[in-house]
Amino acid sequence: MALIPTTILTGFLGSGKTTLLNRVLKEAHGQRIAVIENEFGEENIDNEILVREEGEQIVQMSNGCICCTIRDDLRSTLVDLATQRRNGQLTFDRVVIETTGVADPGPVIQTFFMDEEVAENFLIDSVITLVDAKHAQQQLTDRQEARRQVGFADQLFLSKTDLISAEEKAALVHRLQHINPRAPIRSVHFGEVPLAEVLDLRGFNLNAKLEVDPQLMDDDHDGHGHDHHDHDHEHGEHCDHPHHHHHDDDVKSFVFRAQRPFDPVKLEDFLGAIVNVYGPRMLRYKGVLDMAGTDRKVIFQGVHQLMGSDLGPAWRDDEVRESKMVFIGIDLPRDILEQGLTQSLVPA
Ligand SMILES: Nc1nc2c(ncn2[C@@H]2O[C@H](COP(=O)(O)OP(=O)(O)OP(=O)(O)O)[C@@H](O)[C@H]2O)c(=O)[nH]1
């Protein structure tokens, strides 16, 4: 059987991966796509945000941090998919993997080469990296994962260029080209991109990945004590070994739940104040909320100071109206957030 083409969709927290994927799923008529979703944190909100067309797509979840448990989780998810496809239990033509925003793509790529069963069934079509034009300069400076995501890309998509000036865009493109001279760069407004530029790119180039990380295919080595060759990449840092988990130290997530509806005015006041103070440390927050005054779910999300909400589907009669929010950030004041959110609920 022909190998199953697989697209790896990566990019830092809030860079527009789900937006792009939604667009692709809506547009990909006639193509059956199996989606593997991986989110950082305990709660999967993207599952609610992602469109699903009955019978056409399959969404596979694998919890936890893709970067730490990836080789095993991803391996078993892929092997499972291939087996079910072979048995005729599932039909799909391709796979898209959406990694968490803090994932290092290295171990994801490794899985396709180091594991025999995976290698016999799948091939990487391309690694697509979304870059949040508004926040990328800071992210690239602060976060090694962000630099590696750019370094490993076969194709770079810039989201949110509507929020920056032409000069800022030129400076960002220049920096991205310095980190990754190979990958074409294209602006993508809210995920709007022709399907042909997302799927079937056949753009994966292992040699290019090995230049970013010469140890990528070394199975046994633990990332410590080896020589680092500096290829004159930006700060030489994205040569770090993939098993280095920077985010483990400082990026944390927590979930807030409530079974009383939010008062929209109180919530907006509170969140407005909180992002003013803690915005720089709030890497990503999102949630599905029960809001007083509407029977529809409110999908709320933000990155640093930028926040927004949309009306989602109506709450079903048979489901519990529970709000859940995930906050991902550095040293977030959990007590203050929990207290403020609780005070933003309608009185009991
Ligand atoms: N202004 C603007 N906002 C965008 C654009 N693309 C995406 N967004 C918004 O950016 C936010 C994050 O987008 P997502 O697609 O959820 O990002 P993500 O990479 O899936 O986020 P995580 O999975 O949480 O890391 C959402 O509020 C989007 O509506 C764009 O081109 N311009």
Side-chain angles (χ1 to χ4, degrees):
M1 243 201 252
L3 297 177
I4 306 163
T6 303
T7 303
I8 298 171
L9 198 55
T10 177
F12 203 68
L13 293 164
S15 57
K17 299 178 291 295
T18 308
T19 306
L20 180 84
L21 188 55
N22 256 334
R23 197 97 196 178
V24 166
L25 293 180
K26 275 188 198 142
E27 240 177 77
H29 301 299
Q31 297 218 37
R32 283 153 311 182
I33 303 173
V35 177
I36 300 178
E37 272 284 331
N38 183 252
E39 274 201 85
F40 184 77
E42 309 149 49
E43 198 61 54
N44 201 312
I45 303 288
D46 279 0
N47 197 17
E48 300 265 359
I49 302 177
L50 218 54
V51 290
R52 260 187 271 183
E53 304 206 357
E54 213 54 41
E56 259 198 314
Q57 287 102 20
I58 316 133
V59 179
Q60 285 276 336
M61 323 301 314
S62 83
N63 286 321
C65 167
I66 204 165
C67 189
C68 308
T69 51
I70 184 57
R71 295 270 301 270
D72 283 346
D73 280 4
L74 181 62
R75 182 194 170 279
S76 52
T77 304
L78 287 168
V79 169
D80 225 45
L81 279 177
T83 311
Q84 295 196 44
R85 185 174 186 255
R86 214 168 26 242
N87 298 340
Q89 291 161 284
L90 288 178
T91 38
F92 57 89
D93 310 309
R94 56 179 61 257
V95 173
V96 177
I97 302 176
E98 181 186 346
T99 72
T100 79
V102 280
D104 173 349
V108 182
I109 295 167
Q110 270 180 332
T111 309
F112 286 81
F113 292 91
M114 314 287 276
D115 186 273
E116 217 169 292
E117 244 182 305
V118 173
E120 279 168 6
N121 287 286
F122 297 88
L123 98 167
I124 300 180
D125 180 49
S126 63
V127 178
I128 297 180
T129 301
L130 266 294
V131 176
D132 173 340
K134 175 81 184 160
H135 300 106
Q137 291 283 14
Q138 196 63 45
Q139 291 164 348
L140 290 169
T141 300
D142 293 348
R143 312 294 315 174
Q144 185 195 229
E145 311 91 304
R147 292 190 292 275
R148 286 182 65 92
Q149 290 165 351
V150 170
F152 278 124
D154 298 304
Q155 168 75 53
L156 288 164
F157 287 152
L158 291 187
S159 67
K160 310 190 194 179
T161 50
D162 51 301
L163 303 177
I164 58 168
S165 67
E167 292 74 33
E168 286 169 322
K169 184 179 162 190
L172 178 59
V173 166
H174 183 76
R175 187 170 181 189
L176 295 172
Q177 282 168 336
H178 183 64
I179 303 176
N180 184 336
R182 278 194 187 76
I185 301 176
R186 183 193 209 289
S187 296
V188 170
H189 185 60
F190 283 96
E192 249 173 79
V193 61
L195 212 54
E197 295 193 30
V198 181
L199 304 177
D200 254 335
L201 296 182
R202 293 164 213 267
F204 186 79
N205 179 341
L206 182 61
N207 286 335
K209 311 294 176 269
L210 288 169
E211 271 177 39
V212 175
D213 184 348
Q215 273 93 21
L216 185 64
M217 296 297 144
D218 298 357
D219 201 16
D220 54 347
H221 108 114
D222 63 0
H224 301 291
H226 60 265
D227 281 333
H228 263 168
H229 313 288
D230 192 318
H231 302 289
D232 197 28
H233 294 308
E234 187 165 79
H235 315 305
E237 273 178 324
H238 61 276
C239 284
D240 268 355
H241 188 268
H243 292 164
H244 244 115
H245 303 310
H246 269 274
H247 65 265
D248 276 356
D249 323 322
D250 52 355
V251 180
K252 299 253 166 30
S253 78
F254 75 90
V255 178
F256 176 84
R257 293 169 191 278
Q259 294 207 348
R260 250 186 296 146
F262 278 106
D263 174 325
V265 176
K266 283 188 192 165
L267 182 63
E268 197 179 326
D269 281 355
F270 172 67
L271 288 173
I274 212 84
V275 299
N276 258 333
V277 182
Y278 298 104
R281 292 196 255 151
M282 296 171 70
L283 299 177
R284 187 78 174 109
Y285 41 98
K286 47 190 170 181
V288 177
L289 311 183
D290 178 15
M291 203 76 92
T294 175
D295 282 332
R296 289 168 67 179
K297 295 176 181 177
V298 174
I299 312 286
F300 146 87
Q301 52 173 314
V303 180
H304 297 301
Q305 276 94 327
L306 271 186
M307 131 178 104
S309 61
D310 285 308
L311 279 180
W315 292 94
R316 292 190 318 271
D317 289 339
D318 63 346
E319 83 187 319
V320 180
R321 286 195 180 205
E322 184 190 54
S323 298
K324 47 185 185 185
M325 295 166 105
V326 179
F327 292 85
I328 302 173
I330 298 166
D331 291 331
L332 293 181
R334 184 171 180 158
D335 294 352
I336 296 176
L337 280 163
E338 281 176 345
Q339 193 183 25
L341 290 170
T342 306
Q343 284 167 355
S344 307
L345 300 171
V346 298

